[in-house]
Amino acid sequence: MKRLLLFGVAVAAVVLLLATFGSGYTGTDQQAVSAVQERAPEYDPWASPAWAPGATTEAALFALQGGVGAAVLGYYLDRLRTSDAPDA
Amino acid sequence: MEGFLPPFWAILWTIVALPFVAYGARRTLSTVRMSARTKALVAVAAAFVFVLSALKLPSVAGSSSHPTGTGVMVVLFGPAITAFVSVIVLLYQTVLLAHGGLTTLGANVTSMGIVGPFVGWAAYRLVRSQLTIQQATFVAAAVTDWATYLTTSLQLGLAFPAGSDVGGVATATLDFAAIFAVTQIPIGVLEGLLAAAMMGYLHRIETVSERRLGVPS
């Protein structure tokens, strides 16, 4: 349990580190939006996100996603490694 | 990208994705119920998608993007279950992170959950007999990633063509593909390496035999 928690925190830290290191980089989604605007300047987006997190919240939520994912990954890998059940 | 796909295309891609997702959901449920072992494998592959798609990777030319993370799922379970898992991941990123969008969900599920995985899975089946499990997984994951972003390019090219004929769509698609390619080619390679390492580990702990890994269920 403690190992899983540590693994989750470690992966969350990697996600945060990458987000910080990559903050100067432009996301390809943003590049695609720019390309659309260049190609069709008169296009009016007909919807917008109801809510968008700030940069810090966004990084934290991505870290949460990575951390929880890693803990679940570790948990089920443990189950697979310790299980003697025949191949299904 | 919320709102950046015209209503016609937003609706069309949603209709395209729906049957695959519904079939994938049924397949996911039956696979999870099959045994504790297949359930654990589904969980591992789905968690792998979650972890990798959380990574925002800086790439060449000052741009960044996310891996799709679907390679392991494609190799273990094929495209159908991948479609269902993609919906969950994309919904999380749309609702909580304002990444993607509800109006582009259908298009994103079609590229990340259906077309990309299907092409990657076909590539896997093609090379599996000649390569080791790790090598074949590398091919599957990298091809899945690239096919996903090529599909996105085509979707954008169709919505915003450079002219009113097929040539206009092709030109626009290539323009969008050029934007993604610079960033996504290295990320696809990295994603292939990570997926191969994951499959190598699963193989080492003898979760699945060499023989079984070639069977998509």
Side-chain angles (χ1 to χ4, degrees):
Chain A
M1 200 60 219
K2 207 171 160 191
R3 268 180 46 231
L4 288 179
L5 206 67
L6 278 176
F7 184 49
V9 170
V11 171
V14 170
V15 173
L16 278 180
L17 211 69
L18 280 170
T20 315
F21 177 67
S23 59
Y25 291 75
T26 320
T28 45
D29 44 356
Q30 206 46 55
Q31 289 178 311
V33 164
S34 304
V36 167
Q37 283 165 339
E38 204 173 293
R39 188 173 288 282
E42 77 289 354
Y43 181 76
D44 186 24
W46 56 291
S48 56
W51 175 80
T56 314
T57 317
E58 183 189 272
L61 284 170
F62 268 125
L64 183 74
Q65 179 186 339
V68 171
V72 171
L73 186 75
Y75 173 77
Y76 280 101
L77 280 179
D78 267 353
R79 296 261 307 244
L80 284 168
R81 207 175 42 214
T82 51
S83 144
D84 290 325
D87 201 350
Chain B
M1 296 289 289
E2 186 76 282
F4 268 91
L5 215 48
F8 170 79
W9 293 105
I11 293 166
L12 181 92
W13 293 119
T14 305
I15 293 171
V16 168
L18 269 176
F20 290 96
V21 172
Y23 175 67
R26 275 183 49 197
R27 282 284 303 276
T28 306
L29 283 179
S30 64
T31 307
V32 165
R33 285 183 188 139
M34 206 183 290
S35 73
R37 185 150 262 194
T38 54
K39 180 184 165 189
L41 277 176
V42 169
V44 163
F48 190 80
V49 179
F50 258 82
V51 174
L52 259 71
S53 58
L55 298 172
K56 186 182 175 186
L57 295 174
S59 186
V60 291
S63 55
S64 66
S65 188
H66 298 270
T68 66
T70 47
V72 173
M73 191 116 233
V74 165
V75 167
L76 281 176
F77 299 105
I81 295 182
T82 312
F84 178 64
V85 170
S86 298
V87 174
I88 299 171
V89 177
L90 287 167
L91 263 179
Y92 173 89
Q93 299 202 338
T94 296
V95 174
L96 281 178
L97 289 152
H99 263 240
L102 289 174
T103 59
T104 52
L105 186 63
N108 286 335
V109 170
T110 303
S111 58
M112 175 185 167
I114 300 167
V115 181
F118 195 84
V119 175
W121 181 69
Y124 178 76
R125 299 304 299 263
L126 205 66
V127 299
R128 180 62 192 99
S129 58
Q130 276 102 53
L131 302 175
T132 66
I133 189 81
Q134 276 107 324
Q135 290 166 339
T137 303
F138 172 83
V139 171
V143 169
T144 299
D145 183 289
W146 297 332
T148 296
Y149 280 91
L150 277 179
T151 308
T152 303
S153 306
L154 176 64
Q155 288 168 331
L156 286 167
L158 282 166
F160 300 100
S164 53
D165 56 351
V166 181
V169 172
T171 308
T173 300
L174 287 177
D175 284 352
F176 283 112
I179 293 174
F180 290 122
V182 185
T183 312
Q184 218 63 35
I185 286 174
I187 289 180
V189 170
L190 182 74
E191 181 162 356
L193 292 173
L194 288 172
M198 185 78 247
M199 282 305 293
Y201 182 74
L202 283 174
H203 189 225
R204 268 201 305 287
I205 61 177
E206 293 181 322
T207 295
V208 265
S209 66
E210 281 272 348
R211 175 187 51 78
R212 211 187 92 74
L213 287 174
V215 183
S217 101

